[in-house]
Amino acid sequence: MRVPIDWLSEYVEVDLTAVELSERLAMTGTEVARVLHHGPVSADNFVVGKVLSAEQHPDADRLRVCSVDTGDDEPRTIVCGAPNVAAGQTVSVALPGAVMPDGTKLGEAKLRGVKSSGMILAEDELGIGSEHDGIMVLTDELSAGTPLSEVFAVASEVLEPEVTPNRSDCGGLYGIAREVHAATGGALSAPPWADDPGAPTIGQMPAGIAVTVEDAVLCPRFTARVFENVTVGPSPIWVKARLAAAGQRSISNVVDITNYVMLVSGHPLHAFDLDQIAGAALTVRSARDGETLTTLDGEERVLDADICLIADADGPTSLAGVMGGSRSEVSDQTTRVLMEAAVWDGANINRTSTRLGLRSEASSRFEKGLPPEGALEAQAMATALMLELTGATLADGTLDVGGDGAGANVIRLRDARIVSLLGTPIERDRSQQILEALGFNVTAADDGLDVTVPHWRRDDVTREADLIEEVARINGLESLPPTLPLNRTGRAGGLSREQRLVRRAEDVLVGRGLSEIVGWSFTDPEVCDRLLLDDDHPLRALVVIENPMSSAQSVMRPSILPSLLDAAAYNLARGAEGCALFESGSVYRSGPGEDGMAANEHHGLGAIVTGPAREPSWADPQPPIARIETAHALVSAVLGALGIDWQVEQGELPFLHPGRTAMIRSEAGLLGWFGEVHPGVASSWEIAQPIAALAIDIGRAAAEAPRQTMFSDLTSFPPLREDLAVIVPAGVAAANVVACIIAAGSPLVNRAEVFDVYEGEQVGEGRVSLALHVDFAADDRTLSDEDVAPLREKIVAALKSELDGELRG
Amino acid sequence: MIERVAEIQEQAEAEISAASTAAALEELRVQYLGRKAELPQLLRDVAQLPPEQRGEAGRTANQARQSLEAMIDAAAAKCEAAEMSAALADDTVDITLPGSPVEAVGHHHLLSATRREIEDVFCGLGYSVIEGPEVETVHYNFDALNHDPAHPARGRSDTFYIEGDGEGPEQTLLRTHTSPMQIRIMEETPPPIALIVPGRVFRRDSDATHTPQFHQIEGLLVDEGVTLADLKGTLLAFARSIFGADRELRLRPHFFPFTEPSVEVDVSCFMCEQGASPEGDRCSLCKGTGWLEVLGSGMVDPNVFAAVSEHGYDPDTHQGFAFGLGIERIAMLKHGVPDLRFFYENDLRFLRQFG
Ligand SMILES: [Zn+2]
């Protein structure tokens, strides 16, 4: 909405500059998005002129040389290109020195040899409408030299307030004026609908028309008045100028009146050509599915049963509360006007305008929910203007279906409650003053005030808290003391254990050189194909968005891996040799989740490393590239930090290299996987190098981590370490060798760890040599060689019999 | 004999003092103290002296030997140290070469780092951190939070809805704010409560200043007698922790469906003095206003308590405040990130600048 200050000043005294006013409004609850300027920078040097003579220019067919009285001693010569300029006209003149809206300063100029000292103005030259063909002709009563700003608003500051959705009363200038009055103390004028020229006729039915409202919920009030002897024509310049400053195009006097009244009262009206209403009868009803209506903008609209319309004997003729129909539009030939001011159900209007993709000045006001009383206020104001500007006569009677809204609500505002909610008192007199300025009726009560809510705040102010907000916002929040509340929760606060562990896991990855990304939760459903998922793979149970912004963002990601691959591809394409990335975030599957969650959401921790496993340097120019063992080490680091016991298990995942896939198994089940991304998957992200990857259900892992670590004595009796080199057939898993050694060495062997792997001539074809550290320890004594020797033999025997293994060399 | 010992000692001391290398000292050690040297021989000869001379001669010779030994040891240690110093002095490298192997240190994403920073501030104020589902229902996201049935945010042009069976309040959507957790928490935990809810939220918006997903932190404190002044004090503490100890706070009345009164909160700009840079230019961060809008908040609307009244929340006795701040916004303001897109591009050159 645009609020020209010049126009606003008709309703409230404004002593502040536009910028000061917008700051004050912002601090009382109405943000002002922008302050604009309409028209010339200043109204100086714009005056009324009288054309004394208009002669053909001697050297130019399309120019006239005019002598114009601008109130100076001598008439001035002005060369004018407008075809309609003629002697005897009263016109607007820009004198030399005037600054035009585009910033150019007018000087004296020679046009084809004739000196011109000024300019006779067309509308568009002042930012009023688009009329350029002819000059503006003013009424003859104006005397030459009168400053133009006394005739109409030549220049005005314009506020663009952002009215919050609860303030339907601020959809018009008068509502804003009331706010300005309360916020600044500037005197408020009586509302422009205070005197209704049609007042005696309320309650009677204008002769010859009939209106039926089928659904009083969708249309709580419908009022109509009939105007006869209407002369449709252009609006006077002051109306045009105001509408232009408010951002509205002038159309005709009748249509301009509906817009003018809406801009002031906040209540939209619609003017019908009464003679185009078939049967002179209107019905307010729901549309039938598939019914069509051509709206004023020329579009044919296909309606549905939830849309409310106004029909005549020939069918739909207006889209209720959104836009009129072209069939009953007011035209130059119109002589009889039916002026409609109704109230429509806000939610329904909102649905209709969304459904049809049609937002109008009317719908945006109605959808906030307007009070029924506003309909007659708008009628009163429109009537005065119809009589003044169109020469119309008002037919007897005002049709009114529905009547006023519910009776006024009275709310007690307790002084004590103000202190308790705000933390600081506001004097009762001050509260009263504020509420009265906002139009509330206030009477004294023993513990506060009894406050009657005006109809324009009926839906917005219903409780004591709402009144406290009114008082607080106008009184100002600057003086509120900053205090800290007592914390009586009995809890110290802080992160939960699981949250701390998730942070720890993330920190481990950061400590190992990985950078965290934040990917999109949205993804493309085709990602399932790119991950080579079978048709019935559980990851295909996608959470699907009904109204996505694009198909590439139409489902929720089932895994973090695609986000990581996106980020890797992005960086590799920009010259990175490799990258080490992780993300900690949600993954989604359809179907009900735990604890009443609407979908199956998990907190996942995923990481990929591609390219060098560690950063190359001058002393380490060619580090190995990241492989499955890189991912394995990261998993060990993360789960080790969380204190979780886990094992590697064979597994199969369609998006991983089948020979390089490992599942992470803990006591409670599978916690995730690691491996190398399937080259077919990598290539669909245009990555040609191996990608080590891992994913851990970190939410579950954190929940499962041991709560408390108890002490073990690892220092009193240090272990005895022996190194074994074992040759086993290729294909025997290292984990099996370790398990065999620990089992055979029980109970004194508690740890065996592979530190070297060798394949080659020395161990023979089809065999592999593993070198292991083996720790022998007891918790009650330091072991001797005699303790260890027999176990060593048992281990060798077990390796031989169980794994076909033998000690090397 | 005693005279001879003194002579030897004098001569040896002179030579030891003159010796400059460890090798020369070793030679002197052999020459004066070795098995075939004169001084040890004299010591051995003490036994052949008359008994009355043995005591003094033995003592003298022994003292001389010990003294020479100590002198050679000391000189040798000094020599060795000098030789090592000399050797080390020659053994230099270019210390300006980079470290190796490179122990890369990774980076938290700026959004995570900012989230943690904010979480830690409120943890310090005694708040618990709670997380909640991103796929929500109409009930929790709108209805229970007092949104008018016609509230524009409910529209399909503003909110992502999820395909599924749910209808009406049970229809599922992507939460548009972290506020649904206000209701979920109050359903589970009786008052008093003090907590924050960090998380990802979604709105159907994509332009220079909006991304369809972003991150918020919700705050909620409910007890008896909690005031708007308490909200101001809490947010002032937050603002000073995040943006610097000199910050001031400004509350501007606003409207949110689930708070009453509602306020938008501005923090005084940390880049300028009341909108003007030290050079007198209009501050580009706050656009010359001197204030940065950082969050929306307010006193919990009585209707919200009414929605959870069966869980111990009474609109007549309980009061509370709630606030919601955008992590992206805080990160952009604090670190001067000019464009939201940087957060989701995940360009390593961006990621490595922070966290
Ligand atoms: Zn600034």
Side-chain angles (χ1 to χ4, degrees), chain A residues 345-600:
Chain A
D345 177 63
N348 182 259
I349 296 296
N350 173 264
R351 184 197 167 280
T352 299
S353 73
T354 307
R355 153 86 175 67
L356 298 179
L358 176 61
R359 291 184 64 77
S360 63
E361 292 279 335
S363 72
S364 66
R365 287 177 171 81
F366 280 125
E367 70 187 12
K368 288 178 177 160
L370 296 181
E373 290 79 358
L376 274 186
E377 293 170 356
Q379 286 285 14
M381 194 179 164
T383 301
L385 289 167
M386 285 295 287
L387 303 183
E388 180 188 343
L389 303 182
T390 74
T393 51
L394 174 64
D396 263 355
T398 301
L399 181 135
D400 182 3
V401 181
D404 283 349
N409 193 8
V410 180
I411 307 169
R412 173 71 53 89
L413 173 61
R414 294 165 292 173
D415 300 337
R417 187 70 167 180
I418 294 181
V419 182
S420 126
L421 195 61
L422 300 181
T424 188
I426 296 177
E427 292 297 322
R428 200 184 290 186
D429 289 350
R430 175 68 177 140
S431 297
Q432 176 160 4
Q433 182 201 350
I434 289 168
L435 290 166
E436 285 175 347
L438 289 167
F440 292 80
N441 213 318
V442 179
T443 58
D446 18 316
D447 58 349
L449 301 169
D450 278 327
V451 182
T452 308
V453 180
H455 66 76
W456 60 87
R457 301 298 299 276
R458 181 186 286 127
D459 294 341
D460 170 32
V461 177
T462 58
R463 303 154 309 174
E464 194 176 22
D466 302 325
L467 289 175
I468 294 173
E469 174 174 65
E470 293 303 302
V471 173
R473 72 183 178 88
I474 300 293
N475 192 50
L477 299 171
E478 296 89 341
S479 56
L480 208 60
T483 54
L484 281 178
L486 282 179
N487 185 338
R488 303 192 308 142
T489 60
R491 291 181 290 272
L495 297 175
S496 69
R497 179 178 148 276
E498 285 83 0
Q499 288 163 341
R500 283 199 307 274
L501 290 174
V502 169
R503 278 197 184 187
R504 175 101 168 89
E506 294 162 356
D507 291 346
V508 163
L509 294 177
V510 167
R512 298 186 61 115
L514 279 72
S515 288
E516 186 187 11
I517 67 157
V518 174
W520 292 100
S521 286
F522 310 108
T523 189
D524 193 318
E526 282 180 10
V527 82
C528 293
D529 299 331
R530 296 172 79 190
L531 290 176
L532 306 176
L533 301 182
D534 321 321
D535 289 345
D536 54 354
H537 195 280
L539 286 184
R540 280 196 185 263
L542 297 172
V543 173
V544 181
I545 299 166
E546 226 176 72
N547 52 334
M549 299 192 78
S550 69
S551 68
Q553 296 200 327
S554 61
V555 299
M556 303 302 279
R557 63 179 178 191
S559 155
I560 286 183
L561 182 60
S563 298
L564 291 164
L565 291 171
D566 286 345
Y570 179 97
N571 284 295
L572 293 175
R574 277 158 187 76
E577 199 184 332
C579 47
L581 306 171
F582 78 98
E583 180 169 0
S584 174
S586 292
V587 294
Y588 315 78
R589 312 262 176 86
S590 72
E594 298 158 9
D595 304 331
M597 280 172 25
N600 219 328

Side-chain angles (χ1 to χ4, degrees), chain B residues 269 271-272 275 283 285-286 290:
Chain B
C269 182
M271 293 283 281
C272 68
C283 173
L285 186 65
C286 64

Side-chain angles (χ1 to χ4, degrees), chain A residues 26-31 164-166 346-347 350 354 367 417 419-423 460 463 465-466 468-469 472-473 477-489 491-496 499 502-504 506-507 509-522 543-549 553 556-557 567 570-571 574 576 578-583 585-586 588 595-599 601 603 614-620, chain B residues 97-102 104-109 111-112 115-116 119-120 123 125-137 146 149-152 156-157 159-164 171-172 174 184 189 192-194 200 202 204-206 211-213 215 221 223-234 236-237 250-255 260-263 299 301-303 315-316 319 321 343-349 351-352 355:
Chain A
M27 293 310 291
T28 53
T30 309
E31 187 75 23
T164 53
N166 57 323
N350 173 264
T354 307
E367 70 187 12
R417 187 70 167 180
V419 182
S420 126
L421 195 61
L422 300 181
D460 170 32
R463 303 154 309 174
D466 302 325
I468 294 173
E469 174 174 65
R473 72 183 178 88
L477 299 171
E478 296 89 341
S479 56
L480 208 60
T483 54
L484 281 178
L486 282 179
N487 185 338
R488 303 192 308 142
T489 60
R491 291 181 290 272
L495 297 175
S496 69
Q499 288 163 341
V502 169
R503 278 197 184 187
R504 175 101 168 89
E506 294 162 356
D507 291 346
L509 294 177
V510 167
R512 298 186 61 115
L514 279 72
S515 288
E516 186 187 11
I517 67 157
V518 174
W520 292 100
S521 286
F522 310 108
V543 173
V544 181
I545 299 166
E546 226 176 72
N547 52 334
M549 299 192 78
Q553 296 200 327
M556 303 302 279
R557 63 179 178 191
Y570 179 97
N571 284 295
R574 277 158 187 76
C579 47
L581 306 171
F582 78 98
E583 180 169 0
S586 292
Y588 315 78
D595 304 331
M597 280 172 25
E601 285 175 41
H603 188 163
R614 56 175 186 268
E615 207 127 308
S617 72
W618 60 274
D620 181 23
Chain B
L97 282 172
S100 179
V102 179
V105 174
H107 303 264
H108 289 287
H109 194 282
L111 291 178
S112 296
R115 191 197 74 223
R116 286 187 178 195
E119 283 174 353
D120 292 348
C123 287
L125 289 170
Y127 288 61
S128 299
V129 182
I130 314 277
E131 285 151 286
E134 294 167 24
V135 180
E136 261 296 357
T137 62
N146 199 36
H151 196 284
R156 292 170 52 87
S157 56
T159 297
F160 291 106
Y161 287 90
I162 299 297
E163 280 185 6
Q171 190 180 0
T172 52
L174 297 181
R184 287 186 180 272
T189 317
I193 52 170
R200 190 172 286 193
F202 306 87
R204 233 174 146 279
D205 243 342
S206 187
T211 44
Q213 83 180 20
H215 297 81
L221 183 138
D223 198 348
E224 292 171 12
V226 177
T227 68
L228 189 64
D230 290 338
L231 170 63
K232 187 176 185 177
T234 300
L236 182 63
R250 183 173 86 166
L251 306 187
R252 272 182 296 112
H254 196 65
F255 169 77
E260 185 85 355
S262 301
V263 289
M299 301 304 289
D301 193 287
N303 289 1
D316 288 329
Q319 293 178 174
F321 58 71
F343 292 123
Y344 298 109
E345 265 173 5
N346 294 310
D347 191 310
L348 279 165
R349 293 163 294 186
L351 300 176
R352 287 177 176 155

